[in-house]
Amino acid sequence: MASADLRGELACSICMDIYTDPVTLTCGHSYCRVCITRTWDNQEEREYSCPECRHKFRVRPELKRNLRMCNIVENFLSTHPEQVGISCTYCVHSPVPAVKACLLCEASLCETHLRVHSQSAEHVLTEPTTSLGNRKCSVHKEILKYYCSEDAACICVSCSLAGEHRGHTVETLNEASEKKKEKLRNILQKLTSKREEAEKRVQSLQELRREVSDKAAGVTEEVTALIGGIMEQLEALEKRVLSEISRQEEQVSLRVSDLIRQLEIKKEDLSRKMGHIKELCNMTDPLTVLQVRESDRADYCDTEERDNEDRERDDNKVRAVGYLDVGLISVTLYSGLAGIVTGVKRQPHVPANILPGVNTASDMLPGVNTASDMLLDVNTASDMLPVVNTATDMLLDVNTAANNVTVSGDMKTVSWSVINQSRPETPERFQYYQILSSRSFSSGRHYWEVEGSESGIWAVGMAYRSIGRKGDQSGIGSNNKSWGLWRWYNNQYIVIHDSKEIKLPPPPPSTRRFGIFLDYEAGRLSFYELCDPIRHLHTFTATFTEPLHAIFCVCGGNAWLRMY
């Protein structure tokens, strides 16, 4: 064991020095005989107790010397003389701890020698110290008894009367000490107040830490549940989108297989004709060759016009087969994501700071910007799912609004009105019922949604800005500059372009929301019914030659339309 550790085991808990004449109480704790005796002498009568464990004794115990501890202390001190404390100057045979020091005698005194020491006033007693010389004036070699407040120095009588401190204000050491103690008590009181304040702040911060920890645990649980729910919904959406892709793939595959069978039959017929012609070419009898009927020969030798007709018919069949409807796939995916985010935002238990700034479903996705939120990002040169921009920033252009329609403050909703709005006449303004969007599209793929009223007549679609503003030919689809979906009374729907109408099966009565998908370069404008499942209504195909604006029409019966 290291000497420092051993010294700690041999230290009296009262004087904090190595045991001197150690004794042991019945409770097991040991002390110096002098230390425990002086402690009990200062205690009230019949209140004797152990200073460490506070065990009380009815009568003052008889102190018995701990011989084993004495031997250990003697062996330790013999091998570690530097560990000895201040000993009595007069105990020369064995070191005995000093309990007082006489400044006049410059000697340390144990209990025994203190009893026989002079009690006169000039023999000043202090606590044991190793620096007795510092207690005397270095000039006059007299005991320091006074304090010069002007020079802040401890002085002797001679310094005060004839020395360099003559005429200065002096006071006794006790008086000066008490004044300094008073100052120190004031400082101690201030420090105590500051410490108590610091302790209160520590407790407050610890309480805050516990609150934050509890709140973090609660929020973690909520976020975990929220993310788990989102993952489940995303998995369901993934299955739904993949199912739609598989359905379209199977549908196209069946059409292609049917076309392949038709072409195989045509190939077999052509092979038969080719074989017959080869036989005629190999014949050596000219009469037989010439006797082939003209009708047969005409059947063998198709004209170029007939070839062109067949090729055109085959091309039409190939086009009729169709491709994957990437618009429907994109709409299914986007609307599903929008529904997930809308559901998350509506949950009252979700902390507001968990989903900061979430406004649209596309906020869940990468590549968000203020003009258009990117929905999907894959190779645009392929027929795979392309880049689709959600036109969430599209607004209505009030400068084109007819005077019998009103526009909401956020420029998102148009409503029919019986009150003339008295807007100024301009070349841009429609005469009746209609309004364009301020934003136009001249490239890319875009998707947005509209919701319509249950009553009245309304229409939505796309149009060139050069569309007429007056007369019947300015209506959506009544010209070659616009394409539209109309909702008539009795829930009847048609699509129209260049005055050519196509009636659509009526959607369920509850359906009021529709998706619009524009692929400008491919020349496709598609309308979708946002029910469960999403249903493709119609796709216009055209070669767009001008930027396209969204166009809206509301007429009678409290009709209205809102963009999303």
Side-chain angles (χ1 to χ4, degrees):
M1 180 182 291
S3 61
D5 296 335
L6 181 57
R7 189 188 189 287
E9 295 295 326
L10 300 178
C12 172
S13 60
I14 297 177
C15 65
M16 305 305 294
D17 205 346
I18 295 177
Y19 288 120
T20 301
D21 192 13
V23 294
T24 302
L25 306 182
T26 56
C27 61
H29 294 109
S30 298
Y31 304 95
C32 300
R33 182 183 295 274
V34 173
C35 292
I36 190 64
T37 299
R38 184 166 59 245
T39 298
W40 283 346
D41 288 344
N42 294 331
Q43 286 184 344
E44 296 180 3
E45 188 178 358
R46 303 177 63 85
E47 287 292 335
Y48 307 114
S49 61
C50 172
E52 287 196 47
C53 66
R54 303 300 179 185
H55 177 74
K56 295 182 179 181
F57 305 96
R58 293 183 177 179
V59 296
R60 183 164 180 162
E62 181 182 355
L63 300 177
K64 295 183 179 181
R65 192 179 189 191
N66 190 329
L67 297 177
R68 183 177 296 276
M69 184 65 71
C70 288
N71 294 333
I72 296 174
V73 169
E74 289 178 3
N75 290 333
F76 177 76
L77 294 178
S78 63
T79 55
H80 300 84
E82 73 280 359
Q83 298 290 339
V84 179
I86 300 174
S87 301
C88 178
T89 304
Y90 304 107
C91 295
V92 296
H93 297 290
S94 63
V96 177
V99 295
K100 290 291 181 180
C102 178
L103 300 182
L104 180 63
C105 302
E106 294 188 6
S108 299
L109 307 172
C110 64
E111 286 281 357
T112 302
H113 290 96
L114 180 62
R115 294 191 187 99
V116 297
H117 188 264
S118 174
Q119 302 296 320
S120 61
E122 61 267 21
H123 290 269
V124 179
L125 299 177
T126 66
E127 296 299 319
T129 176
T130 58
S131 56
L132 290 173
N134 294 337
R135 299 281 182 156
K136 289 186 177 183
C137 176
S138 60
V139 178
H140 304 100
K141 303 304 179 183
E142 296 179 6
I143 297 175
L144 301 174
K145 292 185 177 181
Y146 299 98
Y147 179 77
C148 176
S149 56
E150 295 183 18
D151 296 329
C154 296
I155 60 176
C156 65
V157 174
S158 299
C159 290
S160 174
L161 296 177
E164 60 181 7
H165 298 280
R166 184 177 60 183
H168 291 183
T169 302
V170 297
E171 54 190 344
T172 64
L173 293 181
N174 288 336
E175 291 174 344
S177 175
E178 286 301 322
K179 290 182 179 179
K180 187 169 185 178
K181 286 181 181 180
E182 184 63 27
K183 293 180 180 179
L184 292 175
R185 290 189 189 98
N186 293 333
I187 295 174
L188 178 61
Q189 185 176 3
K190 294 179 180 179
L191 294 178
T192 301
S193 299
K194 291 182 178 180
R195 185 183 181 282
E196 291 175 352
E197 181 181 354
E199 181 65 26
K200 290 179 180 179
R201 294 184 63 186
V202 168
Q203 293 176 358
S204 177
L205 291 173
Q206 289 175 341
E207 181 64 26
L208 175 61
R209 182 171 60 186
R210 286 192 294 270
E211 291 178 0
V212 170
S213 178
D214 294 341
K215 186 173 182 179
V219 173
T220 298
E221 184 178 351
E222 290 183 358
V223 169
T224 300
L226 176 65
I227 297 300
I230 292 174
M231 292 300 296
E232 291 179 1
Q233 294 180 70
L234 287 175
E235 290 175 359
L237 177 60
E238 179 186 22
K239 292 179 181 179
R240 190 160 66 249
V241 174
L242 295 181
S243 175
E244 176 60 27
I245 295 172
S246 299
R247 185 192 67 79
Q248 292 189 28
E249 179 187 15
E250 182 179 0
Q251 187 179 53
V252 172
S253 179
L254 291 174
R255 293 176 181 174
V256 171
S257 297
D258 183 62
L259 184 56
I260 290 174
R261 284 194 297 271
Q262 295 179 29
L263 293 175
E264 290 291 349
I265 294 174
K266 185 174 181 179
K267 282 174 55 181
E268 291 177 1
D269 184 54
L270 292 173
S271 297
R272 180 184 57 78
K273 291 178 180 180
M274 290 171 58
H276 195 186
I277 292 173
K278 287 180 180 179
E279 290 179 2
L280 291 175
C281 291
N282 292 330
M283 287 183 180
T284 57
D285 183 8
L287 183 62
T288 302
V289 174
L290 294 174
Q291 286 180 343
V292 174
R293 292 178 302 175
E294 288 297 325
S295 60
D296 292 339
R297 204 164 60 176
D299 187 40
Y300 297 150
C301 304
D302 293 333
T303 63
E304 182 177 354
E305 182 179 353
R306 184 175 177 181
D307 287 342
N308 291 336
E309 290 177 356
D310 288 346
R311 277 196 297 272
E312 185 177 355
R313 185 164 53 250
D314 290 343
D315 289 343
N316 289 336
K317 289 180 179 180
V318 171
R319 283 193 293 270
V321 167
Y323 302 93
L324 291 180
D325 188 348
V326 295
L328 178 57
I329 296 171
S330 298
V331 172
T332 303
L333 180 57
Y334 173 80
S335 61
L337 292 174
I340 291 174
V341 172
T342 300
V344 169
K345 291 170 63 178
R346 288 176 178 173
Q347 293 186 31
H349 66 278
V350 178
N353 56 350
I354 292 180
L355 296 172
V358 176
N359 296 315
T360 63
S362 52
D363 287 326
M364 294 179 62
L365 305 169
V368 176
N369 54 63
T370 57
S372 59
D373 301 330
M374 185 171 291
L375 177 62
L376 295 165
D377 187 3
V378 292
N379 188 356
T380 59
S382 68
D383 283 331
M384 295 175 63
L385 209 57
V387 173
V388 178
N389 295 309
T390 58
T392 55
D393 61 337
M394 187 162 58
L395 303 175
L396 296 169
D397 184 0
V398 72
N399 293 323
T400 65
N403 276 316
N404 47 16
V405 299
T406 60
V407 181
S408 63
D410 63 357
M411 299 296 178
K412 289 284 189 178
T413 302
V414 58
S415 306
W416 180 77
S417 174
V418 295
I419 301 174
N420 191 300
Q421 302 300 304
S422 301
R423 299 185 180 101
E425 289 292 335
T426 64
E428 290 290 298
R429 192 171 309 286
F430 282 103
Q431 185 177 14
Y432 299 114
Y433 313 124
Q434 295 184 162
I435 186 172
L436 291 176
S437 68
S438 57
R439 180 180 176 182
S440 64
F441 306 94
S442 57
S443 64
R445 299 172 175 89
H446 307 273
Y447 172 78
W448 67 97
E449 296 176 1
V450 295
E451 183 179 2
S453 60
E454 295 181 1
S455 60
I457 297 173
W458 52 257
V460 61
M462 302 296 293
Y464 297 145
R465 197 166 189 89
S466 60
I467 185 175
R469 298 298 198 268
K470 297 180 180 181
D472 294 339
Q473 292 301 310
S474 65
I476 300 175
S478 298
N479 48 70
N480 61 359
K481 295 180 180 292
S482 59
W483 298 257
L485 168 68
W486 279 82
R487 189 262 187 197
W488 297 98
Y489 289 114
N490 299 323
N491 210 34
Q492 296 297 315
Y493 286 82
I494 66 168
V495 288
I496 183 172
H497 169 65
D498 202 13
S499 298
K500 297 180 178 63
E501 298 181 3
I502 300 176
K503 291 185 178 181
L504 300 177
S510 60
T511 300
R512 296 173 52 192
R513 194 152 174 158
F514 299 85
I516 302 174
F517 179 80
L518 170 66
D519 188 339
Y520 191 92
E521 283 79 9
R524 290 198 295 266
L525 175 63
S526 301
F527 296 87
Y528 298 91
E529 179 184 292
L530 300 183
C531 53
D532 190 15
I534 295 173
R535 184 166 69 99
H536 172 253
L537 295 176
H538 184 76
T539 295
F540 290 106
T541 57
T543 301
F544 300 125
T545 58
E546 300 178 35
L548 288 167
H549 291 256
I551 186 170
F552 306 88
C553 176
V554 287
C555 179
N558 297 322
W560 57 265
L561 285 167
R562 179 167 180 81
M563 294 185 295
Y564 292 92

